[in-house]
Amino acid sequence: MAARDSRSFLRKEFSDLHLPSLSLNLNVPGYPKSNEIVQRFFLHCLEDLKVYITARQIHLDEKKAILQRDEAGDFYIVPFLTAHHIIPEVKQICEDFEENHAWGRFIDVDITDQSGLPVSSGKSKPCFYCREYPAVECRRLNRHETEDVRAFMFSEMRTYCLQQREITIRRQLSSLALQSILYEISLTPKPGLVDKLDNGVHSDMNYQTFLNSSAAISGYFNDLVKAGSAFGEDDLIKALPVIRNIGLSMEKAMFDSTNQVNTQKGIIFLMGLSLFSTGYIFANGDDFQSEKFRIIVKSICKDLIYRELEKSPRSPATHGEQIYHKFKMAGARGEAENGFPLVFGYGLPELLKSQELNEKVLLRAFLAIAANNNDTNILYRSSADILDQFKALSQTALETGDLIPLTEFCIKQKISPGGSADLLAVSIYIYLLIKQNGNNGLLNFPTLIS
Ligand SMILES: [Zn+2]
Protein backbone atom coordinates (compact mmCIF):
# COMPACT_ATOMS: atom_id res chain seq x y z
CA MET A 1 0.00 0.00 0.00
CA ALA A 2 2.91 2.31 0.73
CA ALA A 3 3.89 2.07 -2.94
CA ARG A 4 0.39 3.03 -4.08
CA ASP A 5 0.44 5.99 -1.70
CA SER A 6 3.72 7.11 -3.15
CA ARG A 7 2.16 7.14 -6.63
CA SER A 8 -0.76 9.27 -5.48
CA PHE A 9 1.73 11.53 -3.78
CA LEU A 10 3.70 11.98 -7.02
CA ARG A 11 0.53 12.79 -8.95
CA LYS A 12 -0.42 15.29 -6.29
CA GLU A 13 3.00 16.93 -6.40
CA PHE A 14 2.45 17.72 -10.08
CA SER A 15 -1.17 18.79 -9.66
CA ASP A 16 -0.13 21.09 -6.80
CA LEU A 17 1.94 22.87 -9.44
CA HIS A 18 -1.16 22.82 -11.72
CA LEU A 19 0.59 20.41 -14.03
CA PRO A 20 -1.40 17.64 -15.70
CA SER A 21 0.57 14.41 -15.84
CA LEU A 22 0.81 11.11 -17.62
CA SER A 23 1.72 7.87 -15.91
CA LEU A 24 2.44 4.38 -17.12
CA ASN A 25 2.18 1.13 -15.23
CA LEU A 26 1.47 -2.53 -15.89
CA ASN A 27 -1.33 -4.60 -14.43
CA VAL A 28 0.61 -7.55 -13.04
CA PRO A 29 -1.53 -9.63 -10.64
CA GLY A 30 0.08 -11.27 -7.59
CA TYR A 31 3.63 -10.75 -6.30
CA PRO A 32 6.29 -9.81 -7.08
CA LYS A 33 4.99 -7.18 -9.50
CA SER A 34 8.24 -6.92 -11.41
CA ASN A 35 11.14 -9.02 -12.59
CA GLU A 36 13.78 -8.76 -15.31
CA ILE A 37 11.33 -9.44 -18.16
CA VAL A 38 8.58 -7.21 -16.78
CA GLN A 39 11.03 -4.37 -16.35
CA ARG A 40 12.40 -4.74 -19.84
CA PHE A 41 8.92 -4.95 -21.31
CA PHE A 42 7.95 -1.85 -19.34
CA LEU A 43 10.89 0.14 -20.67
CA HIS A 44 10.12 -0.93 -24.25
CA CYS A 45 6.49 0.18 -23.83
CA LEU A 46 7.61 3.44 -22.28
CA GLU A 47 9.82 4.20 -25.30
CA ASP A 48 7.02 3.19 -27.67
CA LEU A 49 4.57 5.45 -25.80
CA LYS A 50 6.89 8.46 -25.80
CA VAL A 51 7.50 8.12 -29.53
CA TYR A 52 3.79 7.62 -30.21
CA ILE A 53 2.64 10.73 -28.41
CA THR A 54 5.58 12.91 -29.52
CA ALA A 55 4.74 12.00 -33.12
CA ARG A 56 1.27 13.40 -32.36
CA GLN A 57 2.76 16.68 -31.10
CA ILE A 58 2.08 16.03 -27.42
CA HIS A 59 5.16 17.04 -25.46
CA LEU A 60 6.32 15.79 -22.09
CA ASP A 61 8.49 17.60 -19.59
CA GLU A 62 10.98 14.75 -19.41
CA LYS A 63 13.35 16.63 -17.13
CA LYS A 64 10.72 16.26 -14.39
CA ALA A 65 9.96 12.61 -15.19
CA ILE A 66 10.18 9.99 -12.45
CA LEU A 67 10.84 6.32 -13.17
CA GLN A 68 10.58 4.01 -10.19
CA ARG A 69 10.29 0.38 -9.32
CA ASP A 70 8.77 -0.61 -5.98
CA GLU A 71 6.43 -3.22 -4.46
CA ALA A 72 3.65 -2.00 -6.76
CA GLY A 73 5.85 -2.66 -9.79
CA ASP A 74 7.36 -0.47 -12.48
CA PHE A 75 6.03 3.07 -12.66
CA TYR A 76 6.69 6.18 -14.72
CA ILE A 77 5.17 9.61 -14.31
CA VAL A 78 5.79 12.82 -16.21
CA PRO A 79 4.07 16.21 -16.44
CA PHE A 80 2.95 17.58 -19.82
CA LEU A 81 4.45 20.57 -21.53
CA THR A 82 1.31 20.74 -23.62
CA ALA A 83 -1.51 23.19 -22.82
CA HIS A 84 -4.25 22.01 -20.43
CA HIS A 85 -7.27 22.38 -22.65
CA ILE A 86 -6.36 19.47 -24.90
CA ILE A 87 -6.20 16.93 -22.07
CA PRO A 88 -9.25 14.95 -23.32
CA GLU A 89 -7.54 14.76 -26.69
CA VAL A 90 -4.37 13.48 -25.00
CA LYS A 91 -6.41 10.84 -23.21
CA GLN A 92 -7.81 9.71 -26.54
CA ILE A 93 -4.32 9.48 -28.05
CA CYS A 94 -3.15 7.36 -25.10
CA GLU A 95 -6.14 5.06 -25.49
CA ASP A 96 -5.36 4.73 -29.19
CA PHE A 97 -1.83 3.80 -28.21
CA GLU A 98 -3.03 1.06 -25.87
CA GLU A 99 -5.33 -0.23 -28.57
CA ASN A 100 -2.80 -0.13 -31.41
CA HIS A 101 0.18 -1.48 -29.49
CA ALA A 102 0.56 -5.22 -30.03
CA TRP A 103 0.82 -5.75 -26.27
CA GLY A 104 -1.27 -2.76 -25.24
CA ARG A 105 -3.59 -4.94 -23.19
CA PHE A 106 -0.92 -5.18 -20.46
CA ILE A 107 -0.41 -1.43 -20.34
CA ASP A 108 -2.18 1.23 -18.32
CA VAL A 109 -1.63 4.82 -19.38
CA ASP A 110 -3.31 7.18 -16.92
CA ILE A 111 -3.84 10.89 -17.32
CA THR A 112 -4.30 13.19 -14.35
CA ASP A 113 -5.51 16.73 -14.97
CA GLN A 114 -4.11 19.91 -13.40
CA SER A 115 -6.57 19.60 -10.49
CA GLY A 116 -5.29 16.13 -9.67
CA LEU A 117 -8.36 14.32 -11.02
CA PRO A 118 -8.05 11.20 -13.17
CA VAL A 119 -9.21 11.72 -16.75
CA SER A 120 -11.37 8.82 -17.77
CA SER A 121 -13.03 8.05 -21.06
CA GLY A 122 -15.48 5.73 -19.30
CA LYS A 123 -14.60 2.86 -21.62
CA SER A 124 -14.01 -0.53 -20.07
CA LYS A 125 -11.11 -2.64 -21.25
CA PRO A 126 -11.63 -6.31 -22.05
CA CYS A 127 -9.73 -8.86 -19.95
CA PHE A 128 -6.46 -9.67 -21.71
CA TYR A 129 -6.49 -13.25 -20.45
CA CYS A 130 -9.95 -14.54 -21.40
CA ARG A 131 -10.81 -11.69 -23.81
CA GLU A 132 -14.42 -12.38 -22.98
CA TYR A 133 -15.38 -10.19 -20.01
CA PRO A 134 -14.40 -6.67 -18.92
CA ALA A 135 -11.02 -6.66 -17.17
CA VAL A 136 -12.36 -5.03 -14.00
CA GLU A 137 -15.00 -7.76 -13.69
CA CYS A 138 -12.49 -10.62 -14.01
CA ARG A 139 -10.31 -8.94 -11.40
CA ARG A 140 -13.20 -8.31 -8.99
CA LEU A 141 -14.51 -11.87 -9.29
CA ASN A 142 -11.05 -13.45 -9.26
CA ARG A 143 -12.12 -15.27 -12.36
CA HIS A 144 -8.64 -16.54 -13.29
CA GLU A 145 -5.88 -18.17 -11.27
CA THR A 146 -3.26 -15.51 -10.53
CA GLU A 147 -0.42 -17.90 -11.39
CA ASP A 148 -1.99 -18.68 -14.80
CA VAL A 149 -2.38 -15.00 -15.64
CA ARG A 150 1.18 -14.26 -14.53
CA ALA A 151 2.65 -17.11 -16.58
CA PHE A 152 0.69 -15.94 -19.62
CA MET A 153 1.84 -12.34 -19.20
CA PHE A 154 5.50 -13.16 -18.65
CA SER A 155 5.62 -15.42 -21.66
CA GLU A 156 3.98 -12.77 -23.88
CA MET A 157 6.29 -10.07 -22.53
CA ARG A 158 9.32 -12.23 -23.19
CA THR A 159 8.17 -12.79 -26.78
CA TYR A 160 7.73 -9.06 -27.27
CA CYS A 161 11.20 -8.23 -25.87
CA LEU A 162 12.85 -10.86 -28.07
CA GLN A 163 11.00 -9.56 -31.13
CA GLN A 164 12.17 -6.04 -30.38
CA ARG A 165 15.74 -7.28 -29.97
CA GLU A 166 15.61 -9.06 -33.31
CA ILE A 167 14.20 -6.05 -35.13
CA THR A 168 16.96 -3.86 -33.71
CA ILE A 169 19.64 -6.36 -34.73
CA ARG A 170 18.26 -6.63 -38.26
CA ARG A 171 18.32 -2.86 -38.71
CA GLN A 172 21.79 -2.46 -37.26
CA LEU A 173 23.45 -5.28 -39.20
CA SER A 174 21.81 -4.13 -42.45
CA SER A 175 23.12 -0.65 -41.83
CA LEU A 176 26.68 -1.91 -41.17
CA ALA A 177 26.60 -4.00 -44.37
CA LEU A 178 25.52 -1.03 -46.47
CA GLN A 179 28.16 1.15 -44.80
CA SER A 180 30.82 -1.45 -45.68
CA ILE A 181 29.79 -1.62 -49.32
CA LEU A 182 29.62 2.17 -49.67
CA TYR A 183 33.08 2.53 -48.11
CA GLU A 184 34.47 -0.02 -50.55
CA ILE A 185 32.93 1.45 -53.70
CA SER A 186 33.90 4.99 -52.64
CA LEU A 187 37.54 4.14 -51.99
CA THR A 188 39.52 6.31 -54.42
CA PRO A 189 41.87 5.55 -56.09
CA LYS A 190 41.29 1.82 -56.66
CA PRO A 191 43.55 0.40 -59.41
CA GLY A 192 41.66 -1.08 -62.38
CA LEU A 193 38.32 -0.62 -60.63
CA VAL A 194 35.51 1.89 -60.62
CA ASP A 195 36.00 4.59 -57.99
CA LYS A 196 34.65 8.09 -57.44
CA LEU A 197 36.92 9.67 -60.06
CA ASP A 198 37.64 6.94 -62.55
CA ASN A 199 35.98 3.97 -64.24
CA GLY A 200 39.17 1.86 -64.21
CA VAL A 201 39.14 -0.57 -67.11
CA HIS A 202 35.34 -0.54 -67.31
CA SER A 203 33.39 1.16 -70.07
CA ASP A 204 29.91 -0.07 -69.09
CA MET A 205 29.78 1.13 -65.47
CA ASN A 206 30.72 4.08 -63.29
CA TYR A 207 30.43 5.18 -59.66
CA GLN A 208 26.70 5.91 -60.05
CA THR A 209 26.12 2.39 -61.40
CA PHE A 210 27.56 1.04 -58.14
CA LEU A 211 25.48 3.42 -56.05
CA ASN A 212 22.38 2.23 -57.93
CA SER A 213 23.06 -1.44 -57.41
CA SER A 214 24.11 -0.96 -53.76
CA ALA A 215 20.80 0.78 -53.10
CA ALA A 216 18.93 -1.97 -54.95
CA ILE A 217 20.53 -4.88 -53.09
CA SER A 218 20.44 -3.21 -49.67
CA GLY A 219 16.67 -3.72 -49.53
CA TYR A 220 17.36 -7.43 -49.00
CA PHE A 221 19.90 -7.18 -46.16
CA ASN A 222 17.15 -7.29 -43.58
CA ASP A 223 15.83 -10.54 -45.11
CA LEU A 224 19.27 -12.14 -44.93
CA VAL A 225 19.69 -11.33 -41.22
CA LYS A 226 16.15 -12.51 -40.56
CA ALA A 227 16.80 -15.80 -42.37
CA GLY A 228 19.92 -16.31 -40.22
CA SER A 229 18.05 -15.52 -36.98
CA ALA A 230 15.21 -17.84 -37.89
CA PHE A 231 17.34 -20.74 -39.16
CA GLY A 232 16.43 -23.75 -37.07
CA GLU A 233 18.13 -26.71 -38.80
CA ASP A 234 21.05 -28.48 -37.12
CA ASP A 235 22.95 -28.80 -40.38
CA LEU A 236 24.14 -25.41 -41.58
CA ILE A 237 24.75 -26.77 -45.06
CA LYS A 238 20.98 -26.44 -45.53
CA ALA A 239 21.37 -22.67 -45.15
CA LEU A 240 23.04 -22.24 -48.52
CA PRO A 241 19.88 -22.62 -50.64
CA VAL A 242 18.10 -20.23 -48.26
CA ILE A 243 20.83 -17.62 -48.78
CA ARG A 244 20.92 -18.23 -52.53
CA ASN A 245 17.16 -17.83 -52.70
CA ILE A 246 17.47 -14.28 -51.40
CA GLY A 247 20.68 -13.80 -53.42
CA LEU A 248 18.90 -14.50 -56.70
CA SER A 249 16.31 -11.82 -55.94
CA MET A 250 19.19 -9.48 -55.17
CA GLU A 251 20.87 -10.27 -58.46
CA LYS A 252 17.67 -9.47 -60.30
CA ALA A 253 17.36 -6.17 -58.43
CA MET A 254 20.99 -5.42 -59.26
CA PHE A 255 20.59 -6.09 -62.99
CA ASP A 256 17.36 -4.09 -63.09
CA SER A 257 19.11 -1.11 -61.51
CA THR A 258 22.25 -1.19 -63.69
CA ASN A 259 20.81 -1.75 -67.14
CA GLN A 260 21.88 -5.41 -66.98
CA VAL A 261 25.50 -4.79 -65.95
CA ASN A 262 27.01 -7.14 -63.36
CA THR A 263 28.40 -4.82 -60.71
CA GLN A 264 28.05 -6.77 -57.46
CA LYS A 265 27.35 -10.45 -58.01
CA GLY A 266 30.39 -11.34 -55.92
CA ILE A 267 29.45 -9.16 -52.97
CA ILE A 268 25.88 -10.47 -53.08
CA PHE A 269 27.25 -13.94 -52.40
CA LEU A 270 29.85 -12.91 -49.81
CA MET A 271 27.76 -10.33 -47.94
CA GLY A 272 24.77 -12.66 -48.18
CA LEU A 273 26.74 -15.30 -46.29
CA SER A 274 28.04 -12.72 -43.82
CA LEU A 275 24.64 -11.20 -43.01
CA PHE A 276 23.02 -14.60 -42.65
CA SER A 277 25.84 -15.83 -40.39
CA THR A 278 25.79 -12.77 -38.14
CA GLY A 279 21.99 -13.01 -37.88
CA TYR A 280 22.48 -16.62 -36.83
CA ILE A 281 25.14 -15.68 -34.25
CA PHE A 282 23.11 -12.92 -32.58
CA ALA A 283 19.97 -15.06 -32.45
CA ASN A 284 21.94 -17.38 -30.19
CA GLY A 285 24.14 -14.95 -28.24
CA ASP A 286 25.11 -11.39 -27.54
CA ASP A 287 28.72 -11.30 -28.70
CA PHE A 288 30.41 -11.32 -32.05
CA GLN A 289 33.43 -13.61 -32.19
CA SER A 290 35.45 -13.90 -35.38
CA GLU A 291 36.24 -17.58 -34.83
CA LYS A 292 32.61 -18.49 -34.39
CA PHE A 293 31.69 -16.50 -37.49
CA ARG A 294 34.31 -18.35 -39.53
CA ILE A 295 33.11 -21.76 -38.33
CA ILE A 296 29.55 -20.90 -39.35
CA VAL A 297 30.58 -19.68 -42.83
CA LYS A 298 32.70 -22.83 -43.26
CA SER A 299 29.82 -25.06 -42.18
CA ILE A 300 27.40 -23.40 -44.60
CA CYS A 301 29.90 -23.78 -47.45
CA LYS A 302 31.23 -27.23 -46.52
CA ASP A 303 32.54 -29.10 -49.61
CA LEU A 304 31.25 -26.28 -51.81
CA ILE A 305 34.10 -26.59 -54.32
CA TYR A 306 33.59 -30.32 -54.63
CA ARG A 307 29.81 -30.07 -54.80
CA GLU A 308 29.57 -27.23 -57.27
CA LEU A 309 32.82 -27.19 -59.21
CA GLU A 310 34.24 -30.73 -59.16
CA LYS A 311 31.33 -33.08 -59.05
CA SER A 312 28.73 -31.58 -61.31
CA PRO A 313 30.08 -29.23 -63.94
CA ARG A 314 27.34 -27.18 -65.57
CA SER A 315 27.03 -26.26 -69.15
CA PRO A 316 27.22 -23.44 -69.98
CA ALA A 317 29.52 -22.79 -67.03
CA THR A 318 29.70 -19.46 -65.17
CA HIS A 319 32.94 -17.44 -65.25
CA GLY A 320 33.93 -18.89 -61.89
CA GLU A 321 33.30 -22.44 -63.07
CA GLN A 322 35.30 -21.99 -66.28
CA ILE A 323 38.20 -20.54 -64.30
CA TYR A 324 38.12 -23.44 -61.87
CA HIS A 325 38.40 -26.03 -64.60
CA LYS A 326 41.20 -24.14 -66.32
CA PHE A 327 43.28 -22.99 -63.31
CA LYS A 328 41.94 -24.99 -60.33
CA MET A 329 41.30 -21.73 -58.49
CA ALA A 330 37.96 -21.54 -56.73
CA GLY A 331 37.42 -17.77 -56.30
CA ALA A 332 34.67 -16.60 -53.98
CA ARG A 333 33.47 -20.18 -53.41
CA GLY A 334 36.92 -21.23 -52.22
CA GLU A 335 37.21 -18.18 -50.00
CA ALA A 336 33.81 -18.97 -48.45
CA GLU A 337 34.50 -22.69 -48.00
CA ASN A 338 37.65 -21.82 -46.06
CA GLY A 339 35.96 -19.22 -43.85
CA PHE A 340 37.32 -16.09 -45.60
CA PRO A 341 41.09 -16.60 -45.10
CA LEU A 342 41.94 -13.47 -47.14
CA VAL A 343 39.61 -11.35 -45.00
CA PHE A 344 40.93 -12.64 -41.70
CA GLY A 345 44.54 -13.09 -42.85
CA TYR A 346 45.09 -9.85 -44.79
CA GLY A 347 42.18 -7.37 -45.05
CA LEU A 348 41.00 -7.26 -41.46
CA PRO A 349 44.49 -7.19 -39.82
CA GLU A 350 45.34 -4.09 -41.90
CA LEU A 351 42.08 -2.38 -40.89
CA LEU A 352 42.57 -3.27 -37.22
CA LYS A 353 45.89 -1.39 -37.18
CA SER A 354 43.78 1.78 -37.33
CA GLN A 355 41.23 3.23 -34.93
CA GLU A 356 39.27 4.70 -37.81
CA LEU A 357 38.46 3.73 -41.36
CA ASN A 358 40.11 6.36 -43.53
CA GLU A 359 41.04 6.09 -47.21
CA LYS A 360 44.65 5.30 -46.34
CA VAL A 361 43.88 2.25 -44.22
CA LEU A 362 41.16 1.06 -46.62
CA LEU A 363 43.63 1.21 -49.51
CA ARG A 364 46.24 -0.72 -47.50
CA ALA A 365 43.66 -3.42 -46.71
CA PHE A 366 42.68 -3.60 -50.37
CA LEU A 367 46.31 -3.97 -51.49
CA ALA A 368 47.04 -6.58 -48.81
CA ILE A 369 44.13 -8.67 -50.11
CA ALA A 370 45.03 -8.06 -53.77
CA ALA A 371 48.64 -9.15 -53.19
CA ASN A 372 47.45 -12.55 -51.98
CA ASN A 373 44.22 -13.20 -53.85
CA ASN A 374 43.97 -15.50 -56.84
CA ASP A 375 41.27 -13.22 -58.16
CA THR A 376 39.15 -15.05 -60.71
CA ASN A 377 38.01 -11.67 -62.10
CA ILE A 378 41.61 -11.17 -63.25
CA LEU A 379 42.13 -14.75 -64.42
CA TYR A 380 39.00 -14.66 -66.54
CA ARG A 381 40.42 -11.88 -68.67
CA SER A 382 44.11 -12.86 -68.61
CA SER A 383 46.45 -15.63 -67.49
CA ALA A 384 48.14 -17.07 -64.42
CA ASP A 385 51.29 -15.17 -65.31
CA ILE A 386 49.47 -11.81 -65.45
CA LEU A 387 47.83 -12.62 -62.12
CA ASP A 388 51.24 -13.30 -60.55
CA GLN A 389 52.57 -10.00 -61.84
CA PHE A 390 49.49 -8.19 -60.54
CA LYS A 391 49.93 -9.74 -57.09
CA ALA A 392 53.61 -8.77 -56.98
CA LEU A 393 52.82 -5.19 -58.03
CA SER A 394 50.11 -4.98 -55.35
CA GLN A 395 52.64 -6.10 -52.73
CA THR A 396 55.10 -3.46 -53.94
CA ALA A 397 52.39 -0.77 -53.84
CA LEU A 398 51.56 -1.82 -50.26
CA GLU A 399 55.21 -1.49 -49.25
CA THR A 400 56.08 1.71 -51.15
CA GLY A 401 52.75 3.51 -51.21
CA ASP A 402 53.27 4.11 -54.94
CA LEU A 403 50.17 3.05 -56.89
CA ILE A 404 51.24 4.19 -60.36
CA PRO A 405 52.94 1.00 -61.63
CA LEU A 406 50.02 -1.13 -60.43
CA THR A 407 47.41 1.18 -61.97
CA GLU A 408 49.25 1.33 -65.28
CA PHE A 409 49.58 -2.45 -65.34
CA CYS A 410 45.82 -2.88 -64.80
CA ILE A 411 45.01 -0.46 -67.62
CA LYS A 412 47.55 -2.05 -69.99
CA GLN A 413 46.36 -5.59 -69.28
CA LYS A 414 42.68 -4.54 -69.00
CA ILE A 415 42.32 -6.29 -65.67
CA SER A 416 40.02 -5.45 -62.79
CA PRO A 417 40.55 -6.93 -59.31
CA GLY A 418 36.85 -7.00 -58.42
CA GLY A 419 37.21 -10.09 -56.21
CA SER A 420 39.60 -8.23 -53.89
CA ALA A 421 37.22 -5.27 -53.70
CA ASP A 422 34.42 -7.64 -52.59
CA LEU A 423 36.66 -9.10 -49.89
CA LEU A 424 37.54 -5.58 -48.75
CA ALA A 425 33.83 -4.91 -48.19
CA VAL A 426 33.55 -8.08 -46.08
CA SER A 427 36.68 -7.06 -44.11
CA ILE A 428 35.08 -3.68 -43.37
CA TYR A 429 31.87 -5.37 -42.22
CA ILE A 430 33.82 -7.59 -39.80
CA TYR A 431 35.88 -4.61 -38.62
CA LEU A 432 32.70 -2.64 -37.87
CA LEU A 433 31.21 -5.61 -36.00
CA ILE A 434 34.33 -5.98 -33.86
CA LYS A 435 34.57 -2.23 -33.18
CA GLN A 436 30.87 -1.68 -32.53
CA ASN A 437 30.35 -4.77 -30.42
CA GLY A 438 29.89 -3.99 -26.74
CA ASN A 439 30.36 -0.23 -27.20
CA ASN A 440 27.67 2.34 -27.47
CA GLY A 441 28.27 2.31 -31.17
CA LEU A 442 25.89 1.38 -33.93
CA LEU A 443 25.70 -2.16 -32.72
CA ASN A 444 23.81 -1.59 -29.52
CA PHE A 445 20.86 -3.84 -28.88
CA PRO A 446 19.25 -5.44 -25.82
CA THR A 447 20.87 -8.63 -24.54
CA LEU A 448 19.36 -12.04 -25.11
CA ILE A 449 16.87 -13.28 -22.49
CA SER A 450 17.67 -16.75 -21.22
ZN1 LIG B 1 -10.99 -12.64 -17.97
Side-chain angles (χ1 to χ4, degrees):
M1 273 305 119
R4 284 191 198 284
D5 289 346
S6 116
R7 291 177 182 195
S8 313
F9 178 75
L10 289 172
R11 286 198 182 92
K12 193 172 175 310
E13 268 197 327
F14 290 127
S15 62
D16 284 349
L17 298 166
H18 301 288
L19 294 171
S21 61
L22 169 151
S23 61
L24 177 72
N25 69 292
L26 303 170
N27 261 316
V28 182
Y31 290 93
K33 298 279 183 198
S34 189
N35 59 32
E36 193 201 333
I37 290 171
V38 171
Q39 191 181 31
R40 225 161 111 164
F41 176 81
F42 181 81
L43 294 175
H44 270 303
C45 291
L46 181 57
E47 273 318 300
D48 295 344
L49 173 66
K50 284 187 199 168
V51 169
Y52 190 89
I53 67 171
T54 306
R56 282 149 188 86
Q57 295 294 303
I58 309 292
H59 301 290
L60 305 170
D61 192 354
E62 290 198 48
K63 276 190 252 122
K64 295 198 176 83
I66 296 162
L67 176 67
Q68 65 179 32
R69 190 183 185 195
D70 53 30
E71 311 90 85
D74 297 278
F75 182 71
Y76 175 83
I77 185 163
V78 63
F80 287 102
L81 280 174
T82 309
H84 304 165
H85 64 272
I86 59 160
I87 288 300
E89 197 186 307
V90 175
K91 177 68 185 172
Q92 185 58 51
I93 288 171
C94 293
E95 280 187 358
D96 292 344
F97 170 78
E98 288 179 25
E99 233 165 78
N100 292 326
H101 193 280
W103 275 260
R105 54 193 186 276
F106 297 151
I107 307 166
D108 266 336
V109 185
D110 293 312
I111 308 292
T112 304
D113 71 11
Q114 65 273 26
S115 325
L117 298 171
V119 180
S120 167
S121 65
K123 283 186 213 154
S124 78
K125 275 203 244 177
C127 166
F128 62 71
Y129 188 70
C130 67
R131 300 189 190 205
E132 211 176 318
Y133 305 104
V136 277
E137 194 183 302
C138 287
R139 270 206 293 275
R140 187 163 45 84
L141 299 173
N142 275 328
R143 196 172 260 138
H144 315 296
E145 289 293 334
T146 301
E147 279 319 305
D148 294 346
V149 178
R150 283 170 67 85
F152 170 74
M153 280 185 104
F154 297 161
S155 138
E156 292 279 298
M157 288 176 174
R158 183 175 182 278
T159 304
Y160 179 72
C161 293
L162 286 175
Q163 278 179 6
Q164 292 303 305
R165 179 180 181 273
E166 211 190 298
I167 291 168
T168 310
I169 291 171
R170 289 211 293 265
R171 286 192 190 126
Q172 292 181 359
L173 294 182
S174 300
S175 162
L176 293 186
L178 182 57
Q179 185 184 346
S180 310
I181 290 174
L182 294 177
Y183 272 39
E184 179 267 300
I185 65 175
S186 304
L187 174 61
T188 306
K190 213 158 48 236
L193 291 158
V194 172
D195 59 35
K196 281 190 285 191
L197 301 174
D198 197 284
N199 296 345
V201 300
H202 300 278
S203 56
D204 56 350
M205 51 178 112
N206 60 23
Y207 183 62
Q208 275 67 35
T209 324
F210 276 88
L211 289 182
N212 294 349
S213 64
S214 302
I217 66 173
S218 69
Y220 295 85
F221 293 170
N222 193 63
D223 297 349
L224 287 159
V225 181
K226 191 176 179 183
S229 310
F231 188 75
E233 303 271 357
D234 289 332
D235 190 356
L236 276 162
I237 218 163
K238 290 179 181 157
L240 196 57
V242 176
I243 298 167
R244 284 227 168 105
N245 215 311
I246 303 169
L248 287 170
S249 303
M250 293 167 82
E251 284 183 15
K252 187 180 178 303
M254 172 192 79
F255 282 122
D256 287 348
S257 74
T258 60
N259 215 357
Q260 307 308 312
V261 177
N262 174 13
T263 45
Q264 290 177 310
K265 230 173 144 169
I267 196 65
I268 287 173
F269 176 63
L270 298 171
M271 196 57 88
L273 274 170
S274 303
L275 280 164
F276 180 96
S277 301
T278 40
Y280 182 84
I281 287 174
F282 289 120
N284 298 293
D286 292 316
D287 290 318
F288 177 79
Q289 282 153 355
S290 299
E291 260 325 294
K292 198 171 176 191
F293 173 82
R294 297 192 69 177
I295 290 168
I296 290 163
V297 172
K298 279 187 207 171
S299 308
I300 295 171
C301 298
K302 190 164 182 283
D303 301 329
L304 190 59
I305 299 169
Y306 176 74
R307 283 185 287 141
E308 297 189 0
L309 297 176
E310 282 282 350
K311 198 177 74 179
S312 51
R314 269 192 296 187
S315 180
T318 64
H319 291 181
E321 288 157 4
Q322 291 172 33
I323 295 298
Y324 181 75
H325 292 294
K326 205 164 153 196
F327 301 101
K328 291 287 161 194
M329 289 177 184
R333 283 191 184 87
E335 185 63 14
E337 180 172 332
N338 293 304
F340 299 145
L342 289 164
V343 168
F344 288 95
Y346 299 98
L348 184 63
E350 279 300 328
L351 296 180
L352 287 171
K353 287 178 189 168
S354 173
Q355 282 305 309
E356 55 154 31
L357 291 179
N358 52 41
E359 295 269 286
K360 199 175 154 204
V361 67
L362 292 171
L363 179 62
R364 288 188 62 83
F366 170 75
L367 292 172
I369 295 168
N372 294 282
N373 185 11
N374 293 322
D375 195 330
T376 52
N377 291 263
I378 293 177
L379 281 174
Y380 184 70
R381 302 195 185 279
S382 63
S383 64
D385 181 48
I386 297 286
L387 174 66
D388 284 340
Q389 289 182 55
F390 169 85
K391 285 161 72 177
L393 284 167
S394 298
Q395 184 61 41
T396 308
L398 180 63
E399 285 159 12
T400 62
D402 180 7
L403 276 180
I404 295 168
L406 177 64
T407 307
E408 285 177 349
F409 182 76
C410 289
I411 302 290
K412 188 171 165 231
Q413 301 296 335
K414 295 189 171 53
I415 54 171
S416 167
S420 296
D422 294 337
L423 293 169
L424 172 64
V426 176
S427 304
I428 298 169
Y429 181 64
I430 303 297
Y431 174 93
L432 292 172
L433 281 168
I434 292 171
K435 288 285 171 190
Q436 304 283 358
N437 199 21
N439 297 329
N440 283 328
L442 261 176
L443 203 62
N444 182 20
F445 47 76
T447 52
L448 199 62
I449 306 167
S450 52

